[in-house]
Amino acid sequence: MDQNRLEYLFSRYTAGYATPEELREFDAMVQLPDNETALKENIDRLLYNASGSASMPERAIQSTLQHITGKHAPSSIVRYLRNWWAAAAVIVLLGCSLYLLKSPKTTTVPLADKAPGTDKAVLTLADGTTIQLDSSGHQVIGQQQTAIRQSGGQLQYTVLHPAASTGYNTLTTPYGGQFRVILPDGTTVWLNTASSLRYPTAFTGTNRTVELQGEAYFEVAANPSLPFRVKTAGQEIQVLGTSFNMNAYTNEDYTITTLVTGRVKATAPGTPEGVVLTPGQQAITAHNDTRIAVSSTNAADAIAWKNGLFLFDNASLETVMRCLERWYDVAVKYEVTPDIHYTGQISRNQPLSKVIAMLEQTGSARFRLIRAGQGHQTKDMIIILQ
């Protein structure tokens, strides 16, 4: 079971934000016989976490429990969850009562606008130290044999003293953030919003390997004697010197590698055979599938985000909304889910209200911006209306 994916779908369902596709995926995940043990372990923790969260009221947890046990869970899990709920109900109700006594009532107010994302990220060093980064920062970070220089929205690594062993850093962008890093070998990586890149502070050994979650564009420094590799949950890419884009968000249906220049070999986990791409080709892998499909595309479309654009080619409403969720750091709630597809490009550097206005020009759906919550616990949202 993909634990992170289950947690994501669980939170989307209980908060009422799940799209029809996410609901179908959630249904499929909870009914797989092979996942019975894992379901018990994960649902136990998830329900416990939900019971202590003010943003997930008791009725939402009860609804989720009924959704799972009433439709798809094996009988043993049904009994397990019913027993769990009986034990947890008192805690849940007590928690809700205390919350209502202490906290102000949840409010919903119109949201005038929302600014686009900016250059910001969190750098986690090998010793666990975290450093907040943004476009205004200018600093030099010392780290044993490597110096890290931040200049606005970019980090650059310089190896001062080669060593036999090395540590790993992780660069993480939040929702509404993006950042660029120049790795110790000179490879430049543009990291899109809600993504993370794990990499060594110096490349030693027989290859250069990094790990990606989310989306990034790579311009790899050529070194035929030291292959460059990118690992994601759905694909592994091996290159010698090239530029390519990888989209490996866990809440998208596919992992997609698009080659811009050079040559890469794409493989799926557990399958040594792979496919070699030429410029203008994509390697596409569905989640939980080891088959790789190859298709031709306009490579410039895949890296439009790097150049400050949303570019949609017959994209579904849900796909468009996931892009806006990540870049503007908003939640999306569907009061209706019309079957709409969008084609065109929109600047990522303008406020959300203008993007929404352009989408509404199709006449197929209306959108409303609100801020919901109480006190300091609020969330900006897009409501999809008929």
Side-chain angles (χ1 to χ4, degrees):
M1 170 179 288
D2 185 336
Q3 180 174 318
N4 292 334
R5 184 63 175 166
L6 177 65
E7 292 187 13
Y8 172 82
L9 295 171
F10 184 93
S11 64
R12 296 274 293 178
Y13 179 84
T14 54
Y17 304 150
T19 66
E21 288 78 7
E22 289 171 336
L23 287 175
R24 285 193 291 270
E25 183 181 355
F26 184 57
D27 289 345
M29 182 173 282
V30 299
Q31 68 178 330
L32 291 175
D34 293 342
N35 288 335
E36 182 173 338
T37 301
L39 261 174
K40 291 180 179 179
E41 296 172 353
N42 282 280
I43 294 298
D44 190 2
R45 178 171 55 82
L46 289 170
L47 287 175
Y48 176 81
N49 290 341
S51 68
S53 171
S55 62
M56 292 184 183
E58 186 268 341
R59 63 179 180 276
I61 302 171
Q62 178 67 43
S63 173
T64 302
L65 185 68
Q66 291 175 346
H67 175 79
I68 297 171
T69 60
K71 287 186 176 182
H72 301 296
S75 58
S76 59
I77 294 180
V78 172
R79 291 192 298 272
Y80 176 82
L81 290 178
R82 284 174 178 165
N83 290 339
W84 191 97
W85 183 258
V90 174
I91 299 175
V92 173
L93 292 174
L94 177 60
C96 290
S97 298
L98 291 174
Y99 171 73
L100 290 173
L101 286 173
K102 292 182 178 180
S103 303
K105 184 179 180 180
T106 298
T107 59
T108 300
V109 297
L111 179 64
D113 212 342
K114 183 81 173 182
T118 59
D119 292 334
K120 57 185 174 183
V122 176
L123 175 64
T124 303
L125 302 179
D127 63 1
T129 301
T130 58
I131 302 172
Q132 300 289 332
L133 308 172
D134 59 37
S135 58
S136 64
H138 293 272
Q139 59 183 316
V140 176
I141 304 167
Q143 191 177 32
Q144 297 180 349
Q145 292 84 15
T146 305
I148 312 168
R149 180 181 298 275
Q150 181 200 358
S151 179
Q154 175 180 287
L155 288 180
Q156 181 167 3
Y157 282 71
T158 303
V159 178
L160 303 176
H161 306 289
S165 61
T166 185
Y168 279 81
N169 287 183
T170 301
L171 184 65
T172 304
T173 54
Y175 273 53
Q178 63 181 8
F179 224 78
R180 181 168 60 173
V181 58
I182 301 176
L183 300 177
D185 66 332
T187 293
T188 303
V189 184
W190 285 258
L191 199 60
N192 202 354
T193 184
S195 303
S196 68
L197 185 73
R198 183 176 183 268
Y199 49 90
T201 56
F203 289 107
T204 59
T206 59
N207 61 66
R208 299 169 287 167
T209 300
V210 301
E211 300 171 21
L212 171 68
Q213 294 182 359
E215 184 171 22
Y217 172 70
F218 294 80
E219 288 186 354
V220 178
N223 187 343
S225 64
L226 206 62
F228 192 93
R229 294 177 179 172
V230 183
K231 290 184 176 181
T232 72
Q235 289 182 9
E236 179 175 330
I237 300 300
Q238 179 174 330
V239 304
L240 295 178
T242 189
S243 58
F244 61 97
N245 191 81
M246 288 195 76
N247 185 322
Y249 286 115
T250 57
N251 65 340
E252 297 292 352
D253 294 331
Y254 303 96
T255 296
I256 302 175
T257 298
T258 305
L259 184 61
V260 180
T261 64
R263 290 168 67 87
V264 302
K265 180 180 180 180
T267 59
T271 58
E273 301 81 10
V275 296
V276 176
L277 301 182
T278 57
Q281 289 186 322
Q282 291 182 323
I284 304 171
T285 307
H287 292 316
N288 302 318
D289 194 344
T290 58
R291 293 171 296 180
I292 299 178
V294 177
S295 67
S296 297
T297 187
N298 183 351
D301 293 353
I303 62 172
W305 67 268
K306 172 182 150 314
N307 298 321
L309 294 172
F310 293 114
L311 197 152
F312 304 118
D313 183 7
N314 197 35
S316 67
L317 172 66
E318 292 87 348
T319 298
V320 172
M321 288 300 106
R322 286 195 294 270
C323 291
L324 300 189
E325 277 184 304
R326 290 189 286 258
W327 185 235
Y328 290 94
D329 189 15
V330 294
V332 177
K333 183 175 178 61
Y334 292 82
E335 293 191 357
V336 295
T337 310
D339 183 15
I340 309 173
H341 289 74
Y342 296 92
T343 298
Q345 67 179 35
I346 304 173
S347 171
R348 288 182 15 139
N349 298 321
Q350 57 189 339
L352 180 56
S353 63
K354 291 189 176 180
V355 176
I356 293 300
M358 292 182 185
L359 296 177
E360 285 188 329
Q361 288 178 2
T362 65
S364 301
R366 294 186 298 112
F367 306 87
R368 183 160 59 97
L369 303 182
I370 66 167
R371 176 167 291 165
Q374 62 285 317
H376 297 293
Q377 296 182 345
T378 60
K379 185 65 179 179
D380 297 336
M381 299 176 62
I382 301 174
I383 308 296
I384 312 294
L385 307 170
Q386 187 67 48

